[in-house]
Protein backbone atom coordinates (compact mmCIF):
# COMPACT_ATOMS: atom_id res chain seq x y z
CA UNK A 1 0.00 0.00 0.00
CA UNK A 2 1.01 3.58 -0.58
CA UNK A 3 1.71 5.76 2.42
CA UNK A 4 -0.34 8.77 3.46
CA UNK A 5 2.11 11.04 5.28
CA UNK A 6 0.16 13.47 7.44
CA UNK A 7 2.17 16.53 8.43
CA UNK A 8 1.53 18.73 11.43
CA UNK A 9 2.38 22.35 10.64
CA UNK A 10 3.41 24.41 13.65
CA UNK A 11 6.90 23.59 14.93
CA UNK A 12 7.00 20.51 12.71
CA UNK A 13 7.16 22.17 9.29
CA UNK A 14 7.58 25.77 10.38
CA UNK A 15 7.18 28.38 13.07
CA UNK A 16 4.84 31.24 12.29
CA UNK A 17 6.41 34.00 14.37
CA UNK A 18 3.29 34.54 16.47
CA UNK A 19 1.32 35.94 13.53
CA UNK A 20 -1.67 33.61 13.94
CA UNK A 21 -1.81 34.07 17.71
CA UNK A 22 -1.96 37.85 17.32
CA UNK A 23 -4.69 37.52 14.70
CA UNK A 24 -6.59 35.20 17.04
CA UNK A 25 -6.50 37.67 19.95
CA UNK A 26 -7.52 40.58 17.75
CA UNK A 27 -10.42 38.61 16.23
CA UNK A 28 -11.66 37.60 19.66
CA UNK A 29 -11.85 41.19 20.89
CA UNK A 30 -13.40 42.42 17.64
CA UNK A 31 -16.10 39.74 17.64
CA UNK A 32 -16.95 39.62 21.37
CA UNK A 33 -16.07 43.13 22.52
CA UNK A 34 -14.27 41.59 25.50
CA UNK A 35 -10.74 42.24 26.66
CA UNK A 36 -8.30 39.37 26.20
CA UNK A 37 -7.51 37.90 29.62
CA UNK A 38 -5.41 34.81 29.11
CA UNK A 39 -3.63 32.99 26.29
CA UNK A 40 -4.18 29.21 26.28
CA UNK A 41 -1.63 26.60 25.30
CA UNK A 42 -1.97 26.24 21.53
CA UNK A 43 0.57 23.48 20.82
CA UNK A 44 -0.86 20.30 19.36
CA UNK A 45 -4.48 21.30 19.92
CA UNK A 46 -7.28 21.93 17.44
CA UNK A 47 -8.72 25.38 16.88
CA UNK A 48 -12.15 24.04 17.86
CA UNK A 49 -10.75 22.86 21.19
CA UNK A 50 -8.90 26.12 21.82
CA UNK A 51 -11.95 28.17 20.89
CA UNK A 52 -14.09 26.32 23.43
CA UNK A 53 -11.54 26.99 26.18
CA UNK A 54 -11.17 30.67 25.28
CA UNK A 55 -14.93 31.22 25.20
CA UNK A 56 -15.37 29.47 28.56
CA UNK A 57 -12.50 31.36 30.18
CA UNK A 58 -13.92 34.70 29.05
CA UNK A 59 -17.55 33.86 29.73
CA UNK A 60 -18.61 34.09 26.08
CA UNK A 61 -21.99 32.45 25.42
CA UNK A 62 -23.33 34.47 22.48
CA UNK A 63 -20.79 33.57 19.79
CA UNK A 64 -20.16 30.37 17.85
CA UNK A 65 -16.76 29.08 16.77
CA UNK A 66 -17.88 29.36 13.14
CA UNK A 67 -18.58 33.09 13.55
CA UNK A 68 -15.27 33.63 15.27
CA UNK A 69 -13.30 31.70 12.66
CA UNK A 70 -14.61 33.93 9.85
CA UNK A 71 -13.08 37.01 11.49
CA UNK A 72 -9.94 35.14 12.52
CA UNK A 73 -9.31 34.00 8.94
CA UNK A 74 -9.89 37.54 7.65
CA UNK A 75 -7.30 38.86 10.08
CA UNK A 76 -4.76 36.18 9.16
CA UNK A 77 -5.16 36.70 5.42
CA UNK A 78 -4.65 40.45 5.87
CA UNK A 79 -1.17 39.85 7.32
CA UNK A 80 -0.23 36.48 5.81
CA UNK A 81 2.97 37.91 4.32
CA UNK A 82 4.24 38.20 7.90
CA UNK A 83 4.53 34.42 8.24
CA UNK A 84 7.45 34.46 5.83
CA UNK A 85 8.94 37.61 7.35
CA UNK A 86 8.69 36.72 11.03
CA UNK A 87 8.63 32.92 10.93
CA UNK A 88 10.96 30.26 9.54
CA UNK A 89 11.03 26.74 8.19
CA UNK A 90 12.23 24.08 10.59
CA UNK A 91 15.57 22.42 9.70
CA UNK A 92 15.54 20.02 6.75
CA UNK A 93 11.86 20.45 5.88
CA UNK A 94 12.21 21.50 2.25
CA UNK A 95 14.59 18.67 1.35
CA UNK A 96 12.41 16.01 3.02
CA UNK A 97 9.26 17.26 1.30
CA UNK A 98 11.00 17.26 -2.08
CA UNK A 99 12.33 13.72 -1.60
CA UNK A 100 8.93 12.40 -0.57
CA UNK A 101 7.29 14.30 -3.42
CA UNK A 102 9.42 12.34 -5.88
CA UNK A 103 8.25 9.01 -4.44
CA UNK A 104 5.13 7.63 -6.19
CA UNK A 105 4.44 5.47 -3.14
CA UNK A 106 3.73 8.54 -0.99
CA UNK A 107 0.89 11.05 -0.77
CA UNK A 108 1.58 13.98 1.54
CA UNK A 109 -1.10 16.02 3.26
CA UNK A 110 -1.68 18.20 6.32
CA UNK A 111 -3.23 17.12 9.61
CA UNK A 112 -3.22 20.23 11.72
CA UNK A 113 -5.20 21.94 14.42
CA UNK A 114 -5.35 25.03 12.20
CA UNK A 115 -8.49 25.91 10.27
CA UNK A 116 -7.97 25.15 6.54
CA UNK A 117 -7.49 28.75 5.38
CA UNK A 118 -4.83 29.46 8.01
CA UNK A 119 -3.06 26.18 7.29
CA UNK A 120 -2.96 27.11 3.60
CA UNK A 121 -1.63 30.60 4.34
CA UNK A 122 1.18 29.26 6.50
CA UNK A 123 2.52 26.72 4.02
CA UNK A 124 2.05 29.12 1.09
CA UNK A 125 4.21 31.72 2.82
CA UNK A 126 7.16 29.34 2.45
CA UNK A 127 6.32 28.03 -1.01
CA UNK A 128 5.27 24.61 0.23
CA UNK A 129 1.68 24.42 -1.04
CA UNK A 130 2.54 22.13 -3.95
CA UNK A 131 3.92 19.48 -1.62
CA UNK A 132 0.53 18.57 -0.16
CA UNK A 133 -2.81 17.27 -1.30
CA UNK A 134 -4.70 19.67 0.94
CA UNK A 135 -8.07 18.23 -0.14
CA UNK A 136 -7.48 15.10 1.89
CA UNK A 137 -6.14 16.82 4.99
CA UNK A 138 -7.55 16.98 8.51
CA UNK A 139 -8.16 20.42 10.01
CA UNK A 140 -9.11 22.21 13.19
CA UNK A 141 -12.66 22.73 11.98
CA UNK A 142 -13.27 18.98 11.63
CA UNK A 143 -13.48 18.26 15.33
CA UNK A 144 -12.15 19.32 18.72
CA UNK A 145 -10.38 15.95 19.15
CA UNK A 146 -7.15 15.62 17.20
CA UNK A 147 -7.49 11.88 16.65
CA UNK A 148 -10.63 12.57 14.62
CA UNK A 149 -8.58 14.76 12.26
CA UNK A 150 -6.32 11.82 11.45
CA UNK A 151 -9.31 9.58 10.80
CA UNK A 152 -11.00 12.16 8.58
CA UNK A 153 -7.84 12.64 6.56
CA UNK A 154 -7.44 8.91 5.99
CA UNK A 155 -11.10 8.61 4.97
CA UNK A 156 -10.77 11.50 2.52
CA UNK A 157 -7.62 10.08 0.96
CA UNK A 158 -9.12 6.62 0.51
CA UNK A 159 -12.30 8.10 -0.98
CA UNK A 160 -10.39 10.34 -3.41
CA UNK A 161 -7.79 7.82 -4.56
CA UNK A 162 -9.93 4.69 -4.33
CA UNK A 163 -7.31 2.73 -2.43
CA UNK A 164 -6.18 1.92 1.09
CA UNK A 165 -3.21 3.75 2.60
CA UNK A 166 -0.73 3.05 5.34
CA UNK A 167 -1.14 6.15 7.56
CA UNK A 168 1.89 7.99 8.92
CA UNK A 169 1.61 10.97 11.29
CA UNK A 170 4.55 13.28 11.97
CA UNK A 171 4.37 16.02 14.57
CA UNK A 172 6.11 17.72 17.46
CA UNK A 173 3.69 17.13 20.35
CA UNK A 174 2.30 14.32 22.45
CA UNK A 175 -1.11 15.13 20.91
CA UNK A 176 0.22 14.22 17.46
CA UNK A 177 1.55 10.92 18.76
CA UNK A 178 -1.61 9.90 20.62
CA UNK A 179 -3.80 10.88 17.65
CA UNK A 180 -1.68 8.65 15.41
CA UNK A 181 -1.82 5.71 17.81
CA UNK A 182 -5.60 6.04 18.16
CA UNK A 183 -5.87 5.42 14.42
CA UNK A 184 -3.29 2.66 14.07
CA UNK A 185 -0.92 5.03 12.28
CA UNK A 186 2.86 5.09 12.39
CA UNK A 187 3.67 7.86 14.89
CA UNK A 188 6.82 9.87 14.18
CA UNK A 189 7.81 12.55 16.66
CA UNK A 190 10.13 15.44 15.92
CA UNK A 191 11.51 17.45 18.82
CA UNK A 192 11.53 20.86 17.17
CA UNK A 193 8.80 22.27 19.40
CA UNK A 194 8.44 22.44 23.17
CA UNK A 195 8.15 18.66 23.67
CA UNK A 196 11.35 16.74 24.38
CA UNK A 197 12.45 13.60 22.58
CA UNK A 198 12.03 11.68 25.85
CA UNK A 199 8.41 12.80 26.23
CA UNK A 200 7.63 11.86 22.62
CA UNK A 201 9.08 8.40 23.28
CA UNK A 202 7.07 8.05 26.48
CA UNK A 203 3.92 9.00 24.56
CA UNK A 204 4.48 5.94 22.38
CA UNK A 205 6.04 7.36 19.21
CA UNK A 206 7.41 4.62 16.97
CA UNK A 207 10.32 6.86 15.98
CA UNK A 208 11.61 10.18 17.29
CA UNK A 209 13.94 12.63 15.55
CA UNK A 210 15.69 15.71 16.95
CA UNK A 211 14.77 17.53 13.71
CA UNK A 212 14.50 16.77 9.99
CA UNK A 213 18.02 17.79 9.00
CA UNK A 214 19.07 14.20 8.24
CA UNK A 215 17.09 13.86 5.03
CA UNK A 216 17.95 10.24 4.31
CA UNK A 217 17.11 9.05 7.82
CA UNK A 218 13.83 10.99 7.91
CA UNK A 219 12.69 9.70 4.52
CA UNK A 220 13.64 6.16 5.46
CA UNK A 221 11.57 6.31 8.66
CA UNK A 222 8.56 7.80 6.90
CA UNK A 223 8.57 5.33 4.02
CA UNK A 224 9.67 1.97 5.46
Amino acid sequence: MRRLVMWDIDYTLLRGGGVAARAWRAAFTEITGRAWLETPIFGGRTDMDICAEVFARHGVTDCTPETFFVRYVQNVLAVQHEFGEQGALMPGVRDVLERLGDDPRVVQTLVTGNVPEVAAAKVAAFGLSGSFDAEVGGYGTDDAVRATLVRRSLERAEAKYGEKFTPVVIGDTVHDVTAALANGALAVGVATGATTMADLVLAGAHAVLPDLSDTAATVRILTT
Side-chain angles (χ1 to χ4, degrees), residues 5 23 29 48 61 64 77 84 88 98 111 119 122-124 135 142 152 168 187 189 193 201 205-206 208 219 222:
V5 177
T29 299
M48 287 285 286
T61 59
T64 65
L77 295 183
E98 289 178 356
V111 170
K122 287 181 177 180
V123 298
E135 286 185 352
D142 284 327
R152 294 278 174 82
V168 180
V201 171
H206 298 102
V208 178
V219 170
L222 294 174

Side-chain angles (χ1 to χ4, degrees), residues 87-98:
L89 281 182
M90 306 312 284
V93 164
R94 200 176 299 279
D95 288 341
V96 170
L97 292 179
E98 289 178 356

Side-chain angles (χ1 to χ4, degrees), residues 56-116:
R57 174 67 180 85
H58 292 81
V60 175
T61 59
D62 57 351
C63 182
T64 65
E66 292 76 15
T67 299
F68 167 75
F69 289 147
V70 169
R71 179 60 63 86
Y72 169 52
V73 167
Q74 290 172 344
N75 286 358
V76 168
L77 295 183
V79 295
Q80 60 183 319
H81 61 281
E82 294 181 2
F83 286 122
E85 297 169 357
Q86 301 179 24
L89 281 182
M90 306 312 284
V93 164
R94 200 176 299 279
D95 288 341
V96 170
L97 292 179
E98 289 178 356
R99 283 279 299 276
L100 292 175
D102 291 335
D103 190 336
R105 301 169 300 166
V106 174
V107 172
Q108 299 185 86
T109 191
L110 302 168
V111 170
T112 170
N114 290 280
V115 301

Side-chain angles (χ1 to χ4, degrees), residues 126-194:
F126 296 93
L128 301 180
S129 302
S131 297
F132 310 106
D133 184 346
E135 286 185 352
V136 302
Y139 301 98
T141 47
D142 284 327
D143 199 84
V145 178
R146 194 172 186 106
T148 305
L149 276 55
V150 174
R151 177 170 57 82
R152 294 278 174 82
S153 178
L154 186 58
E155 290 170 348
R156 287 167 179 152
E158 292 180 344
K160 177 175 179 177
Y161 290 94
E163 61 185 283
K164 294 291 186 181
F165 284 90
T166 298
V168 180
V169 174
I170 179 166
D172 68 294
T173 73
V174 167
H175 299 291
D176 299 294
V177 174
T178 57
L181 297 178
N183 287 277
L186 177 69
V188 179
V190 56
T192 42

